[in-house]
Amino acid sequence: MDQEKNTKLEKVIHDDYGNIEGIIVQKGGKNVYEKYFNGYTAENAIHVSSVTKSVFSALMGIAIEKGYIKSVDQKVLEFFPDYAVQADEKIIQGVMIRNLLNMTAPYKCQSEPYEEFFASDNWVKAALDLLGGKENSGEFRYAPIIGTHILEGILAKATGQSVLDFAAENLFSPLGIHVHNVVLRNKEEQMAWYSKVENTCGWVVDPQGINTAGWGLTLTPADMTKIGQLYLNNGMWDGKQIVSSEWIAESTREQSRCVQWGNIAYGYLWWIIDGESYAAMGDGGNAIYINTKKKMVISIASLFVPDAKDRIELIKKYIEPAFEDCE
């Protein structure tokens, strides 16, 4: 990348994307750009918000490949045999894992009751209590916390391990990613972690010690890039198949469509950008972007701000054109 393009990109970041903490661009498996901002360094992990969902998607694929879970068509309630379903709530019995992964599960609420959910002493049960309703339309309903936390409960029950132990053994350790559990003791700590956490590392757990699937994970830009490169490599890492290529193909193709947010396609906890690219995206502008045709991985770690400017626009308009010819 020549200095003129470098200067132009960093001016755009400074002027319009001032909450960015770090960017790494890989082309063909090699770093072609790495830059940190706002006093951050390569060692600083940051809360990546909903990027957590896409990382968790990999864990679900691994669990299915290893036989802990039969398939995405397995019914959710099979994993919670003691959960009591009310007589007028039969719709919940038909909800499958697939519906939670592609955001087509039905819920009794129009928007997630965050305070009620976090105040409960059992987040999985609280999430199950909100699942269902009168109609199972199969339409896209983005539930950033409820559905994904049910998936965490499923993974823990299916494997007989804590989610972090399963992740460490099967995903994090092979990639050299180091994460520990974090306990948040009250609402104030939960809100602070979601919106202000910086210079720390870990993965939030609920009152039962189950890690959050929809948020709560901190990663460095290098960690994010490893996840992206793993997916670009169709699940291979250092000659070992970490995630099956079949799962990567299924989870990164259109499984549903979010009409209300620009008619964007959704896979299994991944956003599908176009025919050659997909991304993990989180509040504040965190992103892991993979372009399969150009063999590029772009990771952007950002401090939380409300209504952060679109990172895909930044990537498509400025970052990709600057690096797509790098060898």
Short mmCIF file of all heavy atoms in Angstrom, two decimals, residues 23-34 225 228-229 232-233 237 294-299 323-327:
data_model
loop_
_atom_site.label_atom_id
_atom_site.label_comp_id
_atom_site.label_asym_id
_atom_site.label_seq_id
_atom_site.Cartn_x
_atom_site.Cartn_y
_atom_site.Cartn_z
N ILE A 23 -7.26 -2.04 13.52
CA ILE A 23 -7.63 -2.67 12.25
C ILE A 23 -6.49 -3.58 11.80
O ILE A 23 -5.32 -3.19 11.86
CB ILE A 23 -7.89 -1.63 11.14
CG1 ILE A 23 -9.09 -0.75 11.47
CG2 ILE A 23 -8.12 -2.31 9.79
CD1 ILE A 23 -9.35 0.34 10.44
N ILE A 24 -6.85 -4.78 11.37
CA ILE A 24 -5.90 -5.68 10.73
C ILE A 24 -6.49 -6.12 9.40
O ILE A 24 -7.67 -6.49 9.33
CB ILE A 24 -5.58 -6.91 11.58
CG1 ILE A 24 -4.85 -6.51 12.88
CG2 ILE A 24 -4.73 -7.92 10.80
CD1 ILE A 24 -4.54 -7.66 13.81
N VAL A 25 -5.68 -6.06 8.35
CA VAL A 25 -6.08 -6.53 7.04
C VAL A 25 -5.13 -7.64 6.62
O VAL A 25 -3.90 -7.45 6.64
CB VAL A 25 -6.04 -5.40 5.99
CG1 VAL A 25 -6.48 -5.93 4.61
CG2 VAL A 25 -6.93 -4.23 6.41
N GLN A 26 -5.70 -8.79 6.27
CA GLN A 26 -4.90 -9.89 5.74
C GLN A 26 -5.31 -10.18 4.30
O GLN A 26 -6.49 -10.15 3.98
CB GLN A 26 -5.07 -11.17 6.57
CG GLN A 26 -4.30 -11.15 7.87
CD GLN A 26 -4.19 -12.54 8.50
OE1 GLN A 26 -4.87 -13.47 8.10
NE2 GLN A 26 -3.33 -12.66 9.49
N LYS A 27 -4.34 -10.42 3.47
CA LYS A 27 -4.59 -10.80 2.08
C LYS A 27 -3.77 -12.07 1.81
O LYS A 27 -2.56 -12.09 1.99
CB LYS A 27 -4.15 -9.67 1.13
CG LYS A 27 -4.30 -10.03 -0.36
CD LYS A 27 -5.75 -9.97 -0.77
CE LYS A 27 -5.92 -10.42 -2.23
NZ LYS A 27 -5.20 -9.59 -3.20
N GLY A 28 -4.48 -13.13 1.42
CA GLY A 28 -3.79 -14.38 1.16
C GLY A 28 -3.07 -14.93 2.37
O GLY A 28 -2.03 -15.59 2.26
N GLY A 29 -3.62 -14.67 3.56
CA GLY A 29 -3.03 -15.19 4.79
C GLY A 29 -1.89 -14.35 5.36
O GLY A 29 -1.31 -14.72 6.39
N LYS A 30 -1.58 -13.22 4.74
CA LYS A 30 -0.49 -12.37 5.21
C LYS A 30 -1.02 -11.00 5.63
O LYS A 30 -1.88 -10.44 4.96
CB LYS A 30 0.56 -12.18 4.10
CG LYS A 30 1.24 -13.47 3.67
CD LYS A 30 2.25 -13.20 2.55
CE LYS A 30 2.93 -14.49 2.10
NZ LYS A 30 3.90 -14.24 1.00
N ASN A 31 -0.49 -10.49 6.73
CA ASN A 31 -0.85 -9.15 7.16
C ASN A 31 -0.33 -8.12 6.16
O ASN A 31 0.87 -8.07 5.90
CB ASN A 31 -0.26 -8.85 8.54
CG ASN A 31 -1.17 -9.23 9.67
OD1 ASN A 31 -2.00 -10.12 9.52
ND2 ASN A 31 -1.01 -8.59 10.82
N VAL A 32 -1.23 -7.31 5.63
CA VAL A 32 -0.82 -6.23 4.73
C VAL A 32 -1.06 -4.87 5.37
O VAL A 32 -0.62 -3.85 4.83
CB VAL A 32 -1.53 -6.34 3.36
CG1 VAL A 32 -1.09 -7.60 2.64
CG2 VAL A 32 -3.05 -6.29 3.51
N TYR A 33 -1.78 -4.86 6.50
CA TYR A 33 -2.00 -3.60 7.21
C TYR A 33 -2.39 -3.92 8.64
O TYR A 33 -3.20 -4.80 8.90
CB TYR A 33 -3.12 -2.80 6.55
CG TYR A 33 -3.39 -1.46 7.19
CD1 TYR A 33 -2.56 -0.37 6.97
CD2 TYR A 33 -4.52 -1.27 8.01
CE1 TYR A 33 -2.83 0.88 7.54
CE2 TYR A 33 -4.79 -0.03 8.58
CZ TYR A 33 -3.94 1.04 8.34
OH TYR A 33 -4.21 2.26 8.92
N GLU A 34 -1.81 -3.20 9.57
CA GLU A 34 -2.15 -3.33 11.00
C GLU A 34 -1.90 -1.98 11.65
O GLU A 34 -0.80 -1.44 11.61
CB GLU A 34 -1.30 -4.41 11.66
CG GLU A 34 -1.67 -4.66 13.12
CD GLU A 34 -0.98 -5.90 13.71
OE1 GLU A 34 -0.21 -6.56 12.97
OE2 GLU A 34 -1.22 -6.19 14.90
N THR A 225 -8.92 -11.71 13.74
CA THR A 225 -8.37 -12.08 12.43
C THR A 225 -8.16 -13.58 12.31
O THR A 225 -8.36 -14.16 11.25
CB THR A 225 -7.05 -11.33 12.20
OG1 THR A 225 -7.27 -9.92 12.33
CG2 THR A 225 -6.48 -11.61 10.81
N GLY A 228 -11.44 -15.08 11.41
CA GLY A 228 -11.71 -14.80 10.01
C GLY A 228 -10.88 -15.66 9.07
O GLY A 228 -11.40 -16.19 8.08
N GLN A 229 -9.61 -15.82 9.38
CA GLN A 229 -8.74 -16.62 8.52
C GLN A 229 -9.12 -18.10 8.58
O GLN A 229 -9.05 -18.80 7.58
CB GLN A 229 -7.28 -16.44 8.93
CG GLN A 229 -6.27 -16.98 7.93
CD GLN A 229 -6.33 -16.27 6.58
OE1 GLN A 229 -6.43 -15.06 6.52
NE2 GLN A 229 -6.27 -17.04 5.50
N LEU A 232 -11.93 -18.34 6.22
CA LEU A 232 -11.46 -18.22 4.84
C LEU A 232 -10.77 -19.50 4.39
O LEU A 232 -10.85 -19.88 3.22
CB LEU A 232 -10.50 -17.03 4.72
CG LEU A 232 -9.99 -16.71 3.31
CD1 LEU A 232 -11.13 -16.36 2.37
CD2 LEU A 232 -8.98 -15.56 3.37
N ASN A 233 -10.13 -20.19 5.33
CA ASN A 233 -9.44 -21.45 5.04
C ASN A 233 -10.38 -22.65 5.11
O ASN A 233 -9.92 -23.79 5.19
CB ASN A 233 -8.30 -21.67 6.03
CG ASN A 233 -7.16 -20.68 5.84
OD1 ASN A 233 -7.08 -19.99 4.83
ND2 ASN A 233 -6.30 -20.58 6.85
N TRP A 237 -6.72 -25.11 10.14
CA TRP A 237 -5.75 -24.29 10.86
C TRP A 237 -4.52 -25.15 11.15
O TRP A 237 -4.63 -26.18 11.80
CB TRP A 237 -6.34 -23.76 12.16
CG TRP A 237 -5.49 -22.70 12.81
CD1 TRP A 237 -4.57 -22.89 13.81
CD2 TRP A 237 -5.47 -21.31 12.50
NE1 TRP A 237 -3.98 -21.70 14.14
CE2 TRP A 237 -4.51 -20.71 13.36
CE3 TRP A 237 -6.16 -20.52 11.59
CZ2 TRP A 237 -4.25 -19.33 13.31
CZ3 TRP A 237 -5.90 -19.14 11.55
CH2 TRP A 237 -4.95 -18.57 12.41
N LYS A 294 -11.54 -12.41 -2.97
CA LYS A 294 -10.30 -11.63 -2.89
C LYS A 294 -9.33 -12.17 -1.85
O LYS A 294 -8.24 -11.62 -1.69
CB LYS A 294 -10.64 -10.17 -2.58
CG LYS A 294 -11.45 -9.50 -3.69
CD LYS A 294 -11.82 -8.07 -3.32
CE LYS A 294 -12.64 -7.43 -4.44
NZ LYS A 294 -13.06 -6.05 -4.10
N LYS A 295 -9.74 -13.22 -1.14
CA LYS A 295 -8.90 -13.85 -0.11
C LYS A 295 -8.47 -12.84 0.95
O LYS A 295 -7.31 -12.81 1.38
CB LYS A 295 -7.67 -14.52 -0.74
CG LYS A 295 -7.99 -15.53 -1.83
CD LYS A 295 -8.83 -16.68 -1.31
CE LYS A 295 -9.13 -17.70 -2.40
NZ LYS A 295 -10.06 -18.76 -1.93
N MET A 296 -9.44 -12.05 1.39
CA MET A 296 -9.15 -11.01 2.37
C MET A 296 -9.92 -11.24 3.66
O MET A 296 -11.07 -11.68 3.64
CB MET A 296 -9.51 -9.63 1.81
CG MET A 296 -8.68 -9.20 0.61
SD MET A 296 -9.12 -7.54 0.01
CE MET A 296 -8.44 -6.52 1.31
N VAL A 297 -9.24 -10.93 4.77
CA VAL A 297 -9.87 -10.89 6.09
C VAL A 297 -9.59 -9.51 6.66
O VAL A 297 -8.43 -9.07 6.70
CB VAL A 297 -9.31 -11.97 7.03
CG1 VAL A 297 -9.87 -11.79 8.45
CG2 VAL A 297 -9.62 -13.35 6.50
N ILE A 298 -10.64 -8.83 7.10
CA ILE A 298 -10.49 -7.51 7.68
C ILE A 298 -11.15 -7.51 9.06
O ILE A 298 -12.34 -7.82 9.18
CB ILE A 298 -11.14 -6.43 6.79
CG1 ILE A 298 -10.46 -6.40 5.41
CG2 ILE A 298 -11.05 -5.05 7.45
CD1 ILE A 298 -11.19 -5.57 4.38
N SER A 299 -10.37 -7.20 10.08
CA SER A 299 -10.89 -7.16 11.45
C SER A 299 -10.84 -5.72 11.96
O SER A 299 -9.82 -5.05 11.83
CB SER A 299 -10.06 -8.06 12.36
OG SER A 299 -10.16 -9.40 11.93
N PHE A 323 -6.19 -2.42 -0.61
CA PHE A 323 -5.35 -3.59 -0.38
C PHE A 323 -5.60 -4.76 -1.32
O PHE A 323 -4.88 -5.77 -1.27
CB PHE A 323 -5.51 -4.09 1.06
CG PHE A 323 -5.11 -3.08 2.09
CD1 PHE A 323 -6.08 -2.35 2.79
CD2 PHE A 323 -3.78 -2.82 2.36
CE1 PHE A 323 -5.71 -1.41 3.73
CE2 PHE A 323 -3.42 -1.88 3.31
CZ PHE A 323 -4.38 -1.17 3.99
N GLU A 324 -6.58 -4.68 -2.18
CA GLU A 324 -6.94 -5.85 -2.99
C GLU A 324 -5.86 -6.25 -3.98
O GLU A 324 -5.83 -7.41 -4.43
CB GLU A 324 -8.26 -5.61 -3.73
CG GLU A 324 -8.25 -4.43 -4.68
CD GLU A 324 -9.63 -4.14 -5.25
OE1 GLU A 324 -10.56 -4.92 -4.96
OE2 GLU A 324 -9.78 -3.11 -5.95
N ASP A 325 -4.94 -5.35 -4.31
CA ASP A 325 -3.87 -5.68 -5.25
C ASP A 325 -2.58 -6.10 -4.55
O ASP A 325 -1.58 -6.39 -5.22
CB ASP A 325 -3.59 -4.50 -6.17
CG ASP A 325 -4.77 -4.17 -7.08
OD1 ASP A 325 -5.50 -5.12 -7.43
OD2 ASP A 325 -4.97 -2.99 -7.40
N CYS A 326 -2.61 -6.13 -3.21
CA CYS A 326 -1.41 -6.54 -2.47
C CYS A 326 -1.12 -8.01 -2.71
O CYS A 326 -2.02 -8.84 -2.79
CB CYS A 326 -1.59 -6.29 -0.98
SG CYS A 326 -1.64 -4.54 -0.53
N GLU A 327 0.15 -8.34 -2.81
CA GLU A 327 0.56 -9.73 -2.99
C GLU A 327 1.12 -10.28 -1.69
O GLU A 327 1.71 -9.57 -0.91
CB GLU A 327 1.63 -9.83 -4.10
CG GLU A 327 1.12 -9.38 -5.45
CD GLU A 327 0.05 -10.29 -6.01
OE1 GLU A 327 -0.02 -11.47 -5.61
OE2 GLU A 327 -0.75 -9.81 -6.84
#
